[in-house]
């Protein structure tokens, strides 16, 4: 193969890969024609995921605090009952 054939083949591969990638992204629901909107969508998804993870951590903390308060209240009530 000569250089001209290799260059033409490389160009064909580049165009085919761009077209295939664009089609795959479109099928996934990503607008390849407006990259700023796609970036904004991805940023929103990231922020939503991080917010959900933070909320999960807070809920675990609230649950553990309530459980520990209930245990301490039960121990205190038992202690006060034993003193009477």
């Amino acid at each position: 193969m000569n250089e001209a054939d290799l260059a033409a083949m490389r160009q064909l591969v580049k165009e085919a890969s761009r077209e295939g990638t664009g089609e795959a992204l479109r099928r996934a629901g990503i607008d390849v024609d407006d990259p700023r909107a796609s970036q904004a969508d991805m940023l929103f998804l990231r922020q939503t995921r991080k917010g959900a993870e933070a909320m999960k951590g807070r809920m675990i903390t609230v649950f553990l605090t309530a459980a520990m308060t209930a245990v301490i209240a039960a121990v205190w009530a038992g202690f006060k009952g034993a003193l009477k």
Side-chain angles (χ1 to χ4, degrees):
M1 275 189 157
N2 61 21
E3 282 296 315
D5 290 341
L6 285 174
M9 191 177 296
R10 283 188 184 115
Q11 185 63 30
L12 180 64
V13 168
K14 280 183 182 181
E15 289 173 10
S17 65
R18 283 187 186 130
E19 184 179 326
T21 302
E23 184 177 331
L25 290 172
R26 280 187 197 93
R27 285 184 180 180
I30 298 173
D31 184 11
V32 296
D33 299 324
D34 189 5
R36 289 189 187 263
S38 297
Q39 289 174 352
D41 292 343
M42 293 299 158
L43 179 62
F44 173 77
L45 289 173
R46 179 180 294 129
Q47 290 171 341
T48 302
R49 178 183 51 83
K50 286 187 176 187
E53 289 172 353
M55 187 59 70
K56 179 182 174 184
R58 289 184 185 127
M59 291 303 292
I60 290 171
T61 302
V62 167
F63 175 75
L64 290 176
T65 302
M68 289 302 297
T69 301
V71 168
I72 291 170
V75 168
W76 182 253
F79 178 72
K80 283 182 77 174
L83 288 178
K84 286 184 178 183

